[in-house]
Amino acid sequence: MWARRKQATAAVRAYNRASWMRFSALFIPVPLVVVTFRLYLEAWHYYVLGGAFIFFAAVLYVLDDRAANRREAALEAARNARAAYQEARSAPLA
């Protein structure tokens, strides 16, 4: 149970640590380019940048979904291990 709990804690920390980096990688570069170079961009550049934004949003959504699934699996394993531990601890000795 303790090992599963430690693994779940590590999975949650890894998800939280990587999550802000994934979303920063999406929400900083494209808007920064648009704001910085807005006076030099042609109309078609906005279409390209919008397409890039949508593409990277989809990719990062898939990556975040996979990471969230790994985190949830680790948490579920910890819950199951704790339930088994509690059941074994409360079982009468025969």
Side-chain angles (χ1 to χ4, degrees), residues 87-94:
E87 184 179 320
R89 190 170 181 206
S90 65
L93 295 174

Side-chain angles (χ1 to χ4, degrees), residues 25-26 30 47-63:
L26 173 65
V30 174
Y47 292 111
V48 171
L49 290 171
F53 184 79
I54 291 170
F55 173 75
F56 285 116
V59 168
L60 290 174
Y61 178 78
V62 169
L63 291 175

Side-chain angles (χ1 to χ4, degrees), residues 1 4-5 7-8 71-83:
M1 179 193 81
R4 291 286 186 190
R5 187 176 190 185
Q7 289 172 351
R71 180 195 62 189
E72 290 302 319
L75 288 171
E76 184 65 28
R79 278 188 222 110
N80 292 341
R82 181 164 177 77

Side-chain angles (χ1 to χ4, degrees), residues 1-53:
M1 179 193 81
W2 303 111
R4 291 286 186 190
R5 187 176 190 185
K6 189 180 239 185
Q7 289 172 351
T9 303
V12 168
R13 283 186 181 171
Y15 174 78
N16 290 340
R17 189 179 319 116
S19 183
W20 73 268
M21 287 188 275
R22 280 191 294 273
F23 289 113
S24 296
L26 173 65
F27 290 113
I28 291 176
V30 174
L32 182 65
V33 167
V34 169
V35 169
T36 303
F37 297 108
R38 70 183 178 272
L39 299 176
Y40 303 105
L41 295 176
E42 297 292 330
W44 65 271
H45 291 131
Y46 289 101
Y47 292 111
V48 171
L49 290 171
F53 184 79

